[in-house]
C-alpha cells in the first residue's frame, strides 16, 4: 500500500447548517425515536429480558439483537454529535438489558438464550449469532467513543473473548466462520478501540478460513444430522442456485483471495469486503486489498445501478451476473448500498483514488438516501429505479420489501437502523489525514477540527452542496504549517476552477485528486467551483434494461420523473440527447431541492383510440418534463416513477 | 346475432402439401408418439388402471386424466386426417382403460377413484374433476367423429349424465360449477354430437350459476371444515390477490355477464369465454355473446402480446392489468393462446368480423407455434418475448416452465397435447358456411370438400402462405350455384388485389371481409394478392415495456432477432422507423422460412473499455441484422432473443 490514510472520525466534524445538518436533525428527532418505538412494539427490547416462553407473543427472531445493536450504534453517533440526555438514558436502559442477558461464560444471544437454549453454535451457517455479535460490537465501540461509557464495551469484550475461545483452527474449537459476514469488520473496530491484537487475529482467521474445503457449512449441517441439500429452517438460503458453486450465496465457495466477481447476498458481500480491506490495512496484507480491488472493479463496472444500488434480485437479495441491472424489479437493498459506502471508505484508506469517493457520493445521494422518507419515519428496503404501481397490487407474493411506498418497519428490519447509523456518522467520511497532509473526500457544509501533521487545524466548508458545486474551504491551522491539501475532483466535474486566497491556481489531478502544497496559515481559503450542470448518462451497451435510455444527473444526484409532476406513461417520454435542462432551486419542494425542467416529447394519446398495435407512426407531441432528485421520490402522491428515460427522435 | 355461421369441420379439409401438411406430419409422426411415451413413463397411462396404492411411485395427480384426454383428442383428429392403424390401436387401448375405470354409477376420475376414494365432489374449486370430465368429453366426441367408434362416447355420456345428476339448482344437488372451466364448452360439443338438449342445459346452468353469491367455492370449503382464507392443498391458487375481488382468479367473482375485463387464470378465462360464446350461439342468448364482445375488446385491445400471448404473470398464470405486457418475464402460456384461438373461432361464428380471424392467425403463427419445436418433440409452456439466458440460470425458483429452452414434458403438461390437438384439427378453422354462402377465414395450401347451399363444392387453396401473400382459390361446385364467396382481408394487408377468372375485380370490404357474389361453376378461380411486405408495428404508449420499440412483422408472422444470427447485446440494436427489409425465402433455414435482413446500428463496444456509465455519446456503428420468425426461435444454439427492437437515431 502506497500510503496509509487515517479517517478523521465522525465526532471531529460538525454539520453546523445545510443539507446534512437537517438530515441529522431529522435522524435524531424523528428516526431514532421512531425506530426505538418499533423495537418496543415488535418485542425486540422485551426479548432482551430472556423471558420469552413458548406460547407467548413476539417470539424472538435470530437477527433481532442486530436491530437493537444498530439502533444503539446510531444513537451513539447522534449523542456524539448532539448530546441528548433522554436518548442517552434510553440507550443505557437497553444496554443494561443486554448486559444482564450475558451468560456466565460471556455468550450473548437473545434467540439462543431464550428460544433454543443448548443449541448455540450449531447452525452458524444460517442463524446469525456471529452477525449479531458483530453489530453489538460496533455499537459498543461507537457508544464508548461517543459518550465514554465502557459498560457495553466491557460486555462485548467478554463476548469477543468467548467467541475467540470457541472458534479457531486449534483442536477442540469450531473451525468455522460467520454465515452472515459482519463480525470481521467489527473485530477490527474492537482492535482499534482496545489495541488488543487478538481481536485482529480472530478477524484474520475468519477471513482466511472462509471458503476452504471441505466446507464448514456442510460439515456443520451434517453434524446436526441434517441434509446439506435441504435445510428445513431456511430452505431458500441453503439451496445452491449460483453458477459459481456451492455456498457462493455466502461468499464461501472459494477462499476469499480467489474470488473475482461479487456473488451471493449483496449485504454479506459488502460486509466481507469491508472487513477484508480493514484487515488488509491493519495487518498489512496486500493480498487482501488486491483481492478487493478486483472485486471493486466487478461491482462498480459491471453490477451497480446508477444510483449505487447493488444486488438486483429479490430472491436471496443477491448479485446475479454482469450487466444484469433491472430497473422495475431492482432489489437494490438499502443496506447493500450502505455496505458499499463502508467498503469504499476502507478502499480509500488503502488507495487514494477518486473512484472510491465518487462511488461514495453517488451511492449516498441516491440509493442510500432514497431509503428514508423526508420525514424520517418510513423506509425503503428495496430501491426500484422505475415503478408502475399496478405491478405491486398484482404480485403473487406481496413481499412488503418490494412495495413502492416506504414502510414504517419490516419484519426483517435491517435497513432503517442501518440508515440511521450512516447518517449520524457521516462526518467520518469527509476527511482522511496522512503523513503528507489532509485529504478531502466529500463536500458538505461543515466544520472540522482535527490534527494535520500534529497541528490542530480547523477546516470549514461553506457550500450548498449537493445543490451547488461551489465550495469555499477555510483552512486554519493553530500555527502555520506546510502540508498537502488534497481534494477529490468528482468525475462528473469536467471544468473545475480552483482559487487559493482569491487567486486562480492550476493543479494537476492524479487519480481523481488535486493537491495544493503550501504553508497554510489561519483563514487561508480554497475556493472550488465544480461547475455543477445537468447531464445525461448512458449505460454500457450490455445493460439491456438501459439501451436507448439516459439517466439525468446533476453533480452526484440522480434525477427521476414522478407521475405527480408529469402525468402517466412516463415510459413514453422521449428526450433528445442534447436536451437543455433548466435548474431551479425550490426551497419549498421536497425539503428544498434543485428541480430540472426540459422540453421532451411523447406520443399523442388522442391518436390511439382503440388500437393496441399499429404500424409505426410519427405522432409525437412536445411536452414539458420536470425531474426531481431520485432520493426524494415517493414523498408525495403515489404513482409512476422513472429514472432511465428514453433517448431519441 | 345477424347471421349464423357454421364451421366446416376439420375432417372436410386436407392440407395436401405446404406449411400445414408438414406441421401435421410432424405432429402425427413425432409429437403424438412422444407424448404417448411421456404419458407412459410418467405413470399417467398406468394410473388409469386404478392400481395405485400409497407408497407406490407415480401417485396420480388430479389433472392427469386431462393429459390423456387431450392426447386422445389430438390422435382422433390426426386419424381423421390420416388413418394410422398403429395409432388407432394405441388410442383404443387407452380408451379401454378409461372405460374400465368408470365407476358403477358412471363417475370417472383417476385421482379420486384411486388416491382419495370417498372424497369425490368435495373440492370442485381446486381439484379439476369437472375439467378432466370436459377434456374426456371433447376426446370422446372427436374420436367418434374421426373414426366412428362410440366406445368412449358412450362412457362419457354416462359420465355426463352422472354429472347432470349431481350438479344443478334442484334440491339435493350440488349448486356449484367448475373450478377450472372447460366442461361448459365440452358439453356444447356433446350436445351437438348427440342432439340431447340436456347437455346444453347443463352447460348453461354452469355458466349462469358462476359468480353468484354466496360463493360456491366458499360454501364448499366451509363444508369440508376448511378455512376459505387458507387452502392447504393449493394455497397459492386460493389466495385472493386480485383487485377485482374474491375468486376473480377463477372468473367467479361476479356473474359472467357482469365481467368487463379479463381477469384471473388465462386458460380458465379462455375456456369460459369459449363456452359462453358456444352457449350464446346454441341457446340464442345474445347477452352472453355481448358479454364476450366486451371481454374480447379488453383482451385484444389491452392485454395481448403482439404474438397473441396472454396472461403475462407467472404467478397463477394470469391476467394482471391493462397494458401490462412484459417481454422478458412474459408468461404467455401456450394453452392460453390456444384458448384464445378457440374463443376467436366461436366469436367468428356469432359475428363475421375480420378482427377474430386476424387474431386467430396472429396467435397461431406466433404465440402458439412457438410452443413446439420444429422437430415436434419439445415444448414451451411460457412464451417469452425476449430472453437473456443468464436470467434463468440465476432465478431463485427455477420453474421449468419459464426456461428459455423447450422441454420434453412438464409436471403440469397441459400445453403439449393441447398443441397437438390444435395442429391436427386446424382444417376446421378455415371456413364457415351460412345461408348466404361460404366464408374463408384462414389461408393455407389445402383442399376442402363440403356443401355450400347444399351443393357439394371443392375449394382448393394454392398458396405458400404464410411466406407469400398470393393465394389462388379454385372453387368447384358440383353444379353451377349462386352464392356469396366471402373472404377475410387481413388487417395487415393494405393493398390487396383481387381477380376472378383472371379479371381484376373491385370489392368493398365490410368488417374485414370482402364478398363476391356470382354463379360459381367448376374451376372458377379467385386470385388474391395480399402484398405481404415486412412492416414495423408499435404498441400503445401505455405499454411501458415497448415504448420506443417496434416489432417486425410480415403478414401475420412476428419476427425476432436471435443471438446465433446477430451476436450478443440485441437490446442495443437500433432500427430507423423507415428501415427497409429484404425478404428471402431460405428453404434450408429452420424448416424453410422467409428471413428478413436490414441495416441497423449498435453502439461501438470498443468505446466501452471499462465504464459502466458515461455521459451520453454518439458512438454508433452500422451493422446488418437478420430476423427470423418468432415461432422458430430456440431451435438452434441457445442465446439471446428479442422481439421488440429499439427504434430511433
Amino acid at each position: 500500500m502506497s500510503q496509509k490514510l487515517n479517517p478523521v472520525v465522525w465526532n471531529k466534524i460538525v454539520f453546523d447548517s445545510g443539507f446534512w445538518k437537517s438530515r441529522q436533525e431529522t435522524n435524531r428527532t424523528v428516526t431514532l425515536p421512531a425506530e426505538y418505538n418499533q423495537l418496543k412494539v415488535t418485542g425486540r427490547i422485551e426479548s432482551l429480558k430472556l423471558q420469552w416462553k413458548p406460547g407467548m407473543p413476539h417470539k424472538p427472531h435470530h437477527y433481532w439483537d442486530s436491530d437493537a445493536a444498530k439502533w444503539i450504534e446510531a444513537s451513539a453517533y447522534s449523542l456524539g454529535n448532539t448530546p441528548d440526555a433522554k436518548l442517552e438514558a434510553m440507550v443505557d436502559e437497553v444496554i443494561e438489558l443486554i448486559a444482564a442477558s450475558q451468560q456466565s461464560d460471556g455468550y450473548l444471544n437473545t434467540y439462543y438464550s431464550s428460544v433454543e437454549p443448548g443449541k448455540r453454535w450449531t447452525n452458524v451457517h444460517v442463524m446469525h449469532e456471529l452477525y449479531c455479535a458483530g453489530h453489538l460490537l460496533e455499537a459498543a465501540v461507537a457508544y464508548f467513543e461517543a459518550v465514554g461509557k465502557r459498560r457495553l464495551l466491557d460486555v462485548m469484550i467478554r463476548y469477543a473473548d468467548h467467541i475467540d475461545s470457541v472458534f479457531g483452527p486449534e483442536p477442540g474449537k469450531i473451525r468455522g466462520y460467520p454465515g452472515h459476514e459482519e463480525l470481521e469488520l467489527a473485530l477490527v473496530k474492537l482492535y482499534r478501540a482496545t489495541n488488543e491484537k487478538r481481536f485482529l487475529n480472530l478477524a484474520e482467521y475468519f477471513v482466511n478460513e472462509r471458503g476452504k474445503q471441505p466446507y464448514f457449512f456442510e460439515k456443520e449441517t451434517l453434524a446436526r444430522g441434517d441434509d446439506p441439500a435441504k435445510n428445513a429452517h431456511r430452505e431458500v438460503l441453503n439451496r445452491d442456485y449460483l453458477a459459481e458453486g456451492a455456498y457462493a450465496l455466502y461468499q464461501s465457495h472459494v477462499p476469499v483471495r480467489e474470488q473475482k466477481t461479487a456473488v451471493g447476498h449483496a449485504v454479506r458481500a459488502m460486509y466481507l469486503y469491508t472487513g477484508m480491506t480493514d484487515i488488509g490495512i491493519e495487518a498489512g496484507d496486500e493480498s487482501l486489498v488486491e483481492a478487493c480491488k478486483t472485486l471493486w472493479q466487478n461491482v462498480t463496472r459491471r453490477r451497480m445501478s446508477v444510483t449505487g444500488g447493488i444486488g438486483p434480485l429479490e430472491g436471496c437479495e443477491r448479485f446475479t451476473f454482469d450487466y444484469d441491472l433491472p430497473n422495475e424489479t431492482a432489489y437494490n437493498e438499502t443496506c447493500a448500498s450502505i455496505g458499499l459506502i463502508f467498503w469504499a471508505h476502507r478502499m480509500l484508506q488503502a488507495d487514494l483514488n477518486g473512484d472510491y469517493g465518487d462511488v461514495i457520493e453517488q451511492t449516498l445521494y441516491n440509493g442510500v438516501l432514497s431509503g428514508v422518507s423526508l420525514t424520517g419515519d418510513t423506509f425503503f428496503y428495496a430501491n426500484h429505479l422505475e415503478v408502475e404501481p399496478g405491478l405491486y397490487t398484482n404480485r403473487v407474493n406481496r413481499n412488503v420489501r418490494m412495495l413502492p411506498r416506504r414502510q414504517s418497519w419490516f419484519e426483517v428490519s435491517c435497513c432503517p437502523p442501518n440508515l440511521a447509523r450512516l447518517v449520524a456518522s457521516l462526518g467520518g467520511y469527509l476527511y482522511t489525514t496522512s503523513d503528507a497532509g489532509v485529504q478531502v473526500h466529500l463536500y458538505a457544509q461543515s466544520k472540522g477540527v482535527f490534527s494535520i501533521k500534529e497541528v490542530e487545524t480547523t477546516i470549514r466548508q461553506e457550500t450548498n452542496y449537493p445543490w451547488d458545486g461551489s465550495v469555499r474551504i477555510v483552512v486554519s491551522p493553530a500555527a502555520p504549517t506546510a502540508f498537502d491539501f488534497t481534494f477529490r475532483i468528482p468525475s462528473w466535474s469536467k471544468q473545475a476552477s480552483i482559487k487559493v486566497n482569491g487567486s486562480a491556481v492550476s493543479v494537476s489531478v492524479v487519480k481523481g485528486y488535486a493537491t495544493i502544497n503550501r504553508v497554510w496559515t489561519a483563514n487561508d481559503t480554497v475556493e472550488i467551483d465544480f461547475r455543477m450542470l445537468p447531464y445525461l448518462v448512458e449505460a454500457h451497451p450490455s445493460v439491456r434494461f438501459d439501451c436507448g435510455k439516459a439517466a439525468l444527473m446533476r453533480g452526484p444526484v440522480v434525477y427521476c420523473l414522478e407521475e405527480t409532476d408529469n402525468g402517466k406513461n412516463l415510459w413514453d417520454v422521449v428526450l433528445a440527447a442534447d436536451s437543455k435542462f433548466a435548474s431551479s432551486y425550490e426551497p419549498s419542494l421536497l425539503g428544498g431541492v434543485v428541480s430540472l425542467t426540459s422540453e421532451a416529447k411523447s406520443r399523442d394519446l388522442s391518436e390511439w383510440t382503440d388500437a393496441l398495435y399499429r404500424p409505426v407512426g410519427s405522432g409525437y407531441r412536445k411536452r414539458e418534463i420536470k425531474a426531481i432528485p431520485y432520493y426524494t421520490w415517493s414523498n408525495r402522491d403515489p404513482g409512476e416513477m422513472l429514472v432511465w428515460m428514453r433517448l431519441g427522435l
Side-chain angles (χ1 to χ4, degrees), chain A residues 574-576 579-581 597-601 622-625:
Chain A
V574 193
L575 286 173
S579 292
K580 298 283 168 279
F581 292 88
T597 51
S598 186
E599 189 175 88
K601 291 183 179 175
K622 285 187 184 176
R623 56 173 298 169
E624 289 290 314
I625 58 163

Side-chain angles (χ1 to χ4, degrees), chain A residues 187-188 191 196-204 279 282-283:
Chain A
L187 284 167
V188 177
Y191 159 64
E196 296 287 351
K197 193 79 187 291
R198 66 182 185 280
F199 300 128
L200 180 62
N201 293 344
L202 182 59
E204 271 193 272
I279 294 164
E282 288 299 346

Side-chain angles (χ1 to χ4, degrees), chain A residues 457-496:
Chain A
T457 305
T458 299
I459 297 194
R460 184 169 176 76
Q461 292 194 35
E462 296 166 5
T463 180
N464 283 321
Y465 209 91
W467 309 128
D468 190 325
S470 297
V471 186
R472 185 168 180 269
I473 304 178
V474 184
V475 182
S476 296
T481 314
F483 59 81
D484 283 357
F485 182 86
T486 298
F487 53 101
R488 185 173 59 90
I489 309 291
S491 60
W492 54 260
S493 173
K494 301 302 174 196
Q495 294 171 287

Side-chain angles (χ1 to χ4, degrees), chain A residues 225-503:
Chain A
D226 289 343
D227 177 359
K230 288 186 290 194
N231 184 321
H233 183 73
R234 294 188 73 185
E235 191 189 355
V236 75
L237 282 178
N238 203 53
R239 282 193 203 149
D240 172 42
Y241 297 108
L242 305 185
E244 292 79 5
Y247 303 110
L249 187 60
Y250 313 86
Q251 300 81 39
S252 53
H253 50 309
V254 292
V256 298
R257 290 170 187 78
E258 296 169 29
Q259 299 187 24
K260 308 297 178 192
T261 56
V263 299
H265 188 265
V267 177
R268 284 172 163 86
M270 291 304 106
Y271 289 3
L272 170 64
Y273 307 158
T274 302
M276 284 167 65
T277 314
D278 275 338
I279 294 164
I281 293 168
E282 288 299 346
D285 185 340
E286 193 83 32
S287 68
L288 282 174
V289 175
E290 285 305 311
C292 284
K293 284 184 181 174
T294 300
L295 290 164
W296 177 267
Q297 288 297 311
N298 182 249
V299 170
T300 63
R301 272 33 172 197
R302 299 285 188 276
R303 301 186 177 204
M304 183 182 78
S305 289
V306 72
T307 55
I310 54 174
L313 197 67
E314 180 184 2
C316 298
E317 312 187 316
R318 66 180 171 84
F319 288 107
T320 55
F321 53 99
D322 285 352
Y323 302 114
D324 185 45
L325 297 165
N327 295 312
E328 186 166 86
T329 61
Y331 197 68
N332 289 358
E333 180 179 344
T334 306
C335 282
S337 290
I338 291 171
L340 177 58
I341 288 179
F342 294 159
W343 181 32
H345 187 225
R346 290 359 186 246
M347 292 301 288
L348 205 46
Q349 296 162 38
D351 175 26
L352 186 65
N353 187 325
D355 196 25
Y356 305 118
D358 286 349
V359 168
I360 290 176
E361 69 171 16
Q362 181 179 4
T363 305
L364 181 63
Y365 288 106
N366 303 298
V368 167
L369 272 190
S370 64
V372 55
S373 64
L374 296 174
T375 51
D377 53 354
T378 58
F379 307 92
F380 276 137
Y381 194 113
N383 294 276
H384 312 307
L385 269 70
E386 62 186 60
V387 166
E388 154 56 76
L391 184 70
Y392 299 91
T393 54
N394 276 275
R395 291 178 68 89
V396 172
N397 298 306
R398 281 192 190 153
N399 183 346
V400 72
R401 300 177 206 168
M402 292 293 278
L403 292 179
R405 296 298 285 176
R406 294 184 185 86
Q407 308 291 313
S408 301
W409 198 246
F410 305 91
E411 195 185 319
V412 175
S413 216
C414 43
C415 300
N418 221 350
L419 270 159
R421 67 179 180 143
L422 179 65
V423 168
S425 63
L426 194 74
Y429 293 80
L430 266 58
Y431 304 105
T432 53
T433 57
S434 68
D435 294 345
V438 65
Q439 300 81 37
V440 188
H441 306 296
L442 295 186
Y443 300 98
Q445 172 74 35
S446 60
K447 181 180 162 190
V449 183
F450 52 90
S451 291
I452 302 173
K453 285 192 160 182
E454 294 175 10
V455 177
E456 186 169 86
T457 305
T458 299
I459 297 194
R460 184 169 176 76
Q461 292 194 35
E462 296 166 5
T463 180
N464 283 321
Y465 209 91
W467 309 128
D468 190 325
S470 297
V471 186
R472 185 168 180 269
I473 304 178
V474 184
V475 182
S476 296
T481 314
F483 59 81
D484 283 357
F485 182 86
T486 298
F487 53 101
R488 185 173 59 90
I489 309 291
S491 60
W492 54 260
S493 173
K494 301 302 174 196
Q495 294 171 287
S497 72
I498 300 155
K499 291 179 188 172
V500 176
N501 294 332
S503 303

